[in-house]
Amino acid sequence: MDFHDRHLLRLRVNGEDHSLSDLDPRVTLLDLLRERLHLTGTKKGCNFGECGACTVHLDGRRVNACMILAVSAEGREVTTIEGLADGDALHPVQQAFIDHDGFQCGFCTPGQVMSAAALIEEGHTGSDAEIREWMSGNLCRCSAYPQIVEAVRAAAGRASQ
Amino acid sequence: MMITQPVARPDGGVKVTGRARYAADYFAPDLLYAVLVTAPAPAGRVTSIMVDDALAEEGVVRVLTHEDMPKFGRFASPRAEPDTQTQHAEGPPAAQSFMPMQNDEIRHEGQPLAIVLGETLEAAEAGARRVSLRYEFAEPELPAPPEWTAIDKAAVVPRESGFLFLEPTFTKGEVDRGLSNAAAMVEAVYLQPSRHHNAMEPSATLAEWNDGELTLHDATQHVYGVRQVVAARMNVPAEKVRVISRHTGGGFGGKGWIWPHQVLAAAAARIMQRPVRLALSRANAYSCLGYQPRMAQKIVLAADKSGKLTAVQQDVVNLTTVTDDFVEFATEASKGLYATPAMRLSQRVERANVAMPTALRAPVEGPGTWALESAMDELAHRLGIDPLDLRLINHADTDPATGQPWSSKKLREAYEEGARLFGWRERPRKPQRDGDWLIGYGMATCSMGCFRHPTPAAEVRLHRDSTVLIRTGTQDIGTGTLTIFPQIAADVLGLPMERIELEMGDTQLPEAGPTYGSSSTMGVGAAVLAAAEDARSQFARLANLPPDEVEMQDGHIRRKGAAGGQTIADVMSHTDIGEIIGSGSFDPAQHGKGLAMRTFGAIFMEVGVDPGLGLLRLRRAVGSYSAGRIVNPRTARSQMTGGIIWGWGMAAMEQSRHEPVLGRFLSKNLSGVAIPVNADIPGDIIIHFVDEVDEHASPIGGKGIGELGATGVAAAVANAVFDATGKRIRELPITPEKLL
């Protein structure tokens, strides 16, 4: 494949349609969001799918945006951390992270929040152990793990176990 | 009263919505993306750099090599002798004296050799892959094999430099007599591997020159330090450099001092006359930044029959690079923890062609307590004394090294309250089993020195509309300063948190020092307090009230104890003043003279070991601390659990291994280097603070807590493993092969 071909890409990001002509096929979804669309809430922690800081929703499913080529997202719908809240009203997961001190430096937080929102939808919050397991793709070096579990449990509407 | 309240972080809103901006989130018109080409081997020289293929790549604008770089200026560390002309006079905030890309020399693997600049990141990355280098490799100095005899043989006394904070040796009393009079003795070597910070944000710098003035958006724990070092290296006056860092995505020491990439970004931008963003790759972060060096510590503890220490000997060797002697002062643990009539301590380094180490959460007592607190447990078992009792028997009522009284110490309370919360005294003494798991209990003392940097400043502006702006040139790395500084000002000025704004992370704000060494609450917090009090005094004069006799509450100022009072708007409306600017600073020399200062604590842990599979699991932990007044128990709890989890990582999984052939880091990514993930950490971690105010350390009454939680943990884990299995592990991390 000639990497110098340029592509037209249409996709929907946070409810807004984007059409990008002249797209370099090497651009990842992460770099598209950050460098082309300036949606910098999605973070680059490793660029190899190891840390989860770039977690976004692609057609409602969790993905590491660094592992997706942007051209493969043609016609698809992306939700990033910037599109999770309903206007000024925070998503319950976002509010829970504040209420339970589920972050310190905040760099991994967008990815944590996007993962948490999706796994609540998927029904993976049946127990604290299940939350821990399913949140383990998102590294947090400040190590707010106990607080993150509390936040996800609260957002999932479960009582403490 | 806001101080001591568990106020939620005001930065929550921007951090959960993705609006908080970190260094790599900034753009500039005509931005160029920089990608580093680095050395594949640790020693030798590069004989040619062929750039034609890279330049043929569409969008690649330029490839810079050492031939293009300016001659970087030297940075004279404030800590070094001012008149010395040797390069070893360098030191912090510069992370190392060695600057790459000044000639053809290669001193460590991963060292930057060329910078590819592209119109897009993809172009620059593709270009970097197409740069061809020719080398002449030299025989590298390799790290010694990880055992005491080899390391001891390779060790040398560190050179004088800005990195040598303390004397490399220390003696007190008659050690030989203490050893010969002993009823029990422990002599053991404790090893730990090199390990990296692995902050989730890889360091990044956006450099932009305008009319000879440089602006840097940088990921740093010290904006003023970046300014000092980059200005010196670029040979421009410091006033010509502005550094901005609104949020830093984790530091842990890795962004504390200033590394070459920050200078290289500035140089590339000046050469290109265009803004340049250099965001390190995750792999770069292993070789272009520091790490906690591989260390070996030999400890001898001698005690009489009652358990009282008669002598302590600690010899420490840490790995360092060939150009600079970083010294990891683990002997501070022996100097600060236990009463003993005699001690003999030494620090040496082992030089090799490896990247420069640096401070990592927790430095100094982090490694120091790993060795000392393991040895104390061994001594307790040899004497048949409970490990907690042995620590109580040797409690240091005054500073063991100097004999000075403590500014404040409630370690006895911390032991007692921690033991009660954990159930230490009631723990089962016979081997316990839970299915396949052997259960063990261990404890250790935690302690950290107090780093009080001179002389942080802050400004507090009180506005006519009853809002307040705090301005201070410190930086947010997530520790909680964005919450507690407004709490401090809110109390003085009698206003709710939401009226108070805080601006940090910019060299246009009053200079406030680094965010490391657990120093910010004591230092910058005290400066904010002084500035708020200054604003209140000025405001009292406007209100025709004696400054020493007023209080401010609910937006009113009044004589202490009086009712009612005047509102801020009322007082201001009688003048033409729109705002009052209070200033304050904290000079540590004025506080606690002649007193020894430390934070203290105890960590109690329960672990499970599966002897069939060699697995080690944390089951629960209690951390109980004596650290002065806790300004915000909610953010403080996160600091302590974070520290304990760092300690767990050190104990159970973290290592950056040097491969034996060329000494390179074996893995430079987050799949080859294990750090704790959510599933590793149980919810049952209890944090307790002893009720305490230290009036001498700082007017805040508090001390530092960011590193304290990470001390003692590795030893407590190894001690619990011994309790569970009878195996004494003296080499970290405690991975399965050591438990099988």
Side-chain angles (χ1 to χ4, degrees):
Chain A
M1 178 177 178
D2 185 350
F3 286 123
H4 300 288
D5 283 350
R6 288 297 184 264
H7 294 257
L8 170 68
L9 172 68
R10 286 154 307 192
L11 80 176
R12 177 174 262 255
V13 181
N14 297 332
E16 198 179 311
D17 288 321
H18 291 269
S19 175
L20 293 108
S21 57
D22 205 27
L23 185 73
D24 186 325
R26 298 169 300 190
V27 175
T28 63
L29 178 58
L30 173 59
D31 288 329
L32 178 92
L33 293 169
R34 291 182 53 81
E35 306 299 338
R36 269 54 168 200
L37 306 182
H38 292 199
L39 291 168
T40 55
T42 305
K43 300 302 183 204
K44 183 183 277 188
C46 69
N47 213 27
F48 284 97
E50 297 160 351
C51 78
C54 65
T55 306
V56 298
H57 299 170
L58 185 59
D59 291 338
R61 298 182 53 152
R62 292 171 289 128
V63 294
N64 287 327
C66 72
M67 300 300 283
I68 306 277
L69 286 174
V71 287
S72 72
E74 167 70 28
R76 300 175 76 176
E77 176 140 14
V78 180
T79 305
T80 72
I81 189 69
E82 289 92 346
L84 191 65
D86 184 4
D88 284 341
L90 293 179
H91 184 279
V93 171
Q94 292 172 315
Q95 187 60 49
F97 268 67
I98 297 176
D99 294 344
H100 294 270
D101 214 40
F103 60 91
Q104 289 198 275
C105 80
F107 191 82
C108 74
T109 311
Q112 301 275 358
V113 167
M114 296 307 286
S115 277
L119 73 91
I120 290 170
E121 287 294 311
E122 295 161 15
H124 291 307
T125 56
S127 68
D128 285 359
E130 191 179 7
I131 293 172
R132 269 184 219 116
E133 197 63 37
W134 282 85
M135 288 300 290
S136 284
N138 291 84
L139 304 180
C140 170
R141 194 55 165 160
C142 297
S143 306
Y145 297 129
Q147 303 93 293
I148 289 169
V149 173
E150 288 164 24
V152 177
R153 182 206 301 141
R158 283 191 316 107
S160 171
Q161 300 198 345
Chain B
M1 189 80 173
M2 299 305 299
I3 283 184
T4 71
Q5 296 305 302
V7 177
R9 293 174 198 261
D11 45 321
V14 295
K15 287 184 176 171
V16 302
T17 55
R19 282 182 287 137
R21 291 178 82 188
Y22 302 78
D25 299 340
Y26 287 88
F27 295 87
D30 277 332
L31 179 66
L32 282 173
Y33 292 84
V35 172
L36 298 176
V37 177
T38 61
R45 49 185 214 95
V46 55
T47 53
S48 76
I49 302 178
M50 287 155 286
V51 301
D52 291 353
D53 280 1
L55 289 171
E57 184 71 34
E58 189 187 332
V60 170
V61 177
R62 181 94 186 256
V63 180
L64 299 174
T65 71
H66 60 89
E67 286 169 1
D68 302 299
M69 282 288 145
K71 184 166 166 39
F72 295 126
R74 284 228 281 261
F75 174 74
S77 169
R79 285 183 178 280
E81 292 300 316
D83 58 349
T84 178
Q85 286 302 306
T86 70
Q87 67 172 352
H88 302 301
E90 291 215 5
Q96 57 185 42
S97 66
F98 173 62
M99 275 301 297
M101 297 188 68
Q102 291 290 275
N103 51 42
D104 58 3
E105 209 176 337
I106 300 173
R107 299 193 181 187
H108 66 86
E109 186 275 337
Q111 171 191 322
L113 296 178
I115 303 171
V116 180
L117 295 153
E119 299 285 356
T120 64
L121 186 55
E122 293 74 25
E125 284 175 344
R129 282 191 293 272
R130 296 177 69 172
V131 172
S132 310
L133 298 142
R134 290 226 175 91
Y135 313 90
E136 212 166 77
F137 291 127
E139 196 68 32
E141 293 290 329
L142 292 175
E147 48 93 18
W148 178 255
T149 317
I151 291 173
D152 183 43
K153 202 172 147 211
V156 295
V157 174
R159 305 177 265 240
E160 189 60 49
S161 84
F163 296 105
L164 194 63
F165 300 123
L166 301 160
E167 289 299 320
T169 57
F170 180 84
T171 51
K172 168 191 151 174
E174 294 174 52
V175 172
D176 293 332
R177 204 172 74 176
L179 294 176
S180 57
N181 288 346
M185 206 145 84
V186 168
E187 178 174 346
V189 172
Y190 301 91
L191 297 167
Q192 63 185 92
S194 295
R195 66 188 180 117
H196 279 84
H197 306 80
N198 294 308
M200 296 321 301
E201 176 199 29
S203 288
T205 306
L206 169 62
E208 188 173 9
W209 291 87
N210 279 308
D211 298 329
E213 301 204 350
L214 172 65
T215 303
L216 295 172
H217 282 90
D218 195 34
T220 181
Q221 296 173 244
H222 192 186
V223 286
Y224 271 93
V226 175
R227 175 160 99 158
Q228 263 182 297
V229 175
V230 172
R233 296 274 191 248
M234 295 303 296
N235 295 302
V236 297
E239 307 80 68
K240 298 282 187 193
V241 179
R242 180 183 180 190
V243 181
I244 301 166
S245 179
R246 299 297 182 197
H247 300 285
T248 288
F252 318 114
K255 295 165 184 162
W257 293 338
I258 286 69
W259 296 91
H261 72 273
Q262 288 144 311
V263 179
L264 296 178
R270 192 164 71 184
I271 292 166
M272 301 306 295
Q273 292 294 303
R274 285 177 67 173
V276 167
R277 192 208 288 159
L278 172 56
L280 296 190
S281 68
R282 179 54 63 183
N284 289 156
Y286 287 88
S287 307
C288 300
L289 307 174
Y291 56 99
Q292 185 165 74
R294 190 275 295 281
M295 296 177 71
Q297 307 184 51
K298 186 174 192 175
I299 291 221
V300 182
L301 297 181
D304 66 17
K305 271 202 311 269
S306 69
K308 267 193 167 23
L309 290 168
T310 56
V312 174
Q313 199 170 304
Q314 186 180 9
D315 295 297
V316 179
V317 183
N318 69 264
L319 189 60
T320 191
T321 186
V322 286
T323 50
D324 288 290
D325 287 349
F326 176 79
V327 185
E328 185 63 74
F329 274 99
T331 49
E332 285 295 284
S334 288
K335 279 160 91 173
L337 258 65
Y338 298 113
T340 174
M343 56 176 116
R344 182 161 58 208
L345 317 173
S346 82
Q347 293 278 162
R348 288 175 297 159
V349 295
E350 174 204 352
R351 297 186 195 122
N353 284 100
V354 294
M356 176 68 168
T358 200
L360 173 144
R361 182 194 199 187
V364 192
E365 288 86 344
T369 52
W370 149 239
L372 181 61
E373 290 300 282
S374 290
M376 284 294 278
D377 198 71
E378 297 202 44
L379 183 64
H381 287 280
R382 203 148 296 177
L383 286 161
I385 296 175
D386 186 276
L388 175 54
D389 288 330
L390 185 68
R391 282 148 175 108
L392 288 165
I393 290 166
N394 289 291
H395 182 271
D397 297 332
T398 57
D399 181 55
T402 63
Q404 288 179 320
W406 299 110
S407 61
S408 169
K409 178 177 186 178
K410 292 201 170 182
L411 178 56
R412 285 183 190 281
E413 290 86 338
Y415 283 135
E416 188 190 324
E417 292 163 26
R420 196 177 58 241
L421 286 165
F422 187 81
W424 178 259
R425 297 289 186 194
E426 300 77 37
R427 74 189 189 282
R429 305 302 162 100
K430 289 191 184 138
Q432 297 293 300
R433 228 177 211 286
D434 177 1
D436 290 333
W437 297 94
L438 302 173
I439 311 303
Y441 307 89
M443 61 86 55
T445 304
C446 310
S447 186
M448 199 70 208
C450 278
F451 298 97
R452 301 186 306 160
H453 307 291
T455 308
E459 200 179 272
V460 169
R461 297 184 178 194
L462 176 61
H463 301 126
R464 191 184 276 262
D465 63 357
S466 303
T467 60
V468 169
L469 175 65
I470 306 169
R471 301 174 74 243
T472 181
T474 178
Q475 38 285 311
D476 170 42
I477 64 167
T479 55
T481 50
L482 291 175
T483 318
I484 68 169
F485 296 162
Q487 284 180 269
I488 290 165
D491 274 354
V492 177
L493 299 170
L495 291 166
M497 286 287 283
E498 52 275 15
R499 292 261 160 178
I500 297 175
E501 257 189 77
L502 171 57
E503 202 187 342
M504 305 201 318
D506 192 334
T507 48
Q508 292 194 339
L509 300 169
E511 184 165 355
T515 308
Y516 57 63
S518 306
S519 60
S520 295
T521 301
M522 279 182 292
V524 191
V528 170
L529 176 67
E533 287 173 344
D534 183 40
R536 185 179 62 190
S537 293
Q538 292 184 42
F539 185 64
R541 280 183 219 109
L542 271 190
N544 290 318
L545 290 167
D548 294 340
E549 294 170 33
V550 296
E551 63 180 13
M552 291 181 77
Q553 244 173 7
D554 311 321
H556 290 70
I557 187 164
R558 55 182 169 247
R559 268 178 201 274
K560 276 179 198 156
Q566 311 167 62
T567 65
I568 292 166
D570 275 352
V571 175
M572 295 277 224
S573 68
H574 296 131
T575 71
D576 53 5
I577 296 172
E579 66 174 4
I580 286 168
I581 304 179
S583 0
S585 64
F586 172 68
D587 178 4
Q590 303 303 314
H591 297 269
K593 213 174 273 178
L595 298 173
M597 280 170 208
R598 283 194 157 272
T599 52
F600 306 93
I603 178 80
F604 299 86
M605 307 192 99
E606 178 182 323
V607 304
V609 175
D610 182 329
L613 296 172
L615 298 178
L616 170 62
R617 291 285 182 269
L618 176 60
R619 290 165 66 95
R620 64 188 183 97
V622 171
S624 175
Y625 304 101
S626 157
R629 175 189 273 149
I630 297 305
V631 178
N632 184 326
R634 174 191 182 110
T635 55
R637 175 192 170 224
S638 293
Q639 279 286 66
M640 303 324 289
T641 51
I644 291 170
I645 295 166
W646 268 72
W648 176 257
M650 174 187 182
M653 55 185 79
E654 291 178 28
Q655 56 181 331
S656 291
R657 295 180 66 174
H658 300 272
E659 48 87 2
V661 180
L662 292 173
R664 299 168 300 180
F665 289 117
L666 197 56
S667 294
K668 301 206 292 183
N669 55 64
L670 292 168
S671 22
V673 173
I675 60 172
V677 304
N678 209 320
D680 292 313
I681 305 304
D684 193 359
I685 299 176
I686 295 173
I687 303 300
H688 174 71
F689 292 103
V690 174
D691 189 21
E692 182 186 8
V693 176
D694 186 336
E695 291 166 344
H696 303 292
S698 151
I700 298 294
K703 286 185 273 201
I705 57 170
E707 292 155 317
L708 177 63
T711 67
V713 177
V717 173
N719 299 343
V721 166
F722 178 77
D723 186 52
T725 65
K727 282 188 184 171
R728 178 61 66 179
I729 310 290
R730 300 192 184 91
E731 182 177 6
L732 296 179
I734 307 172
T735 37
E737 77 280 6
K738 295 177 183 132
L739 294 172
L740 286 170

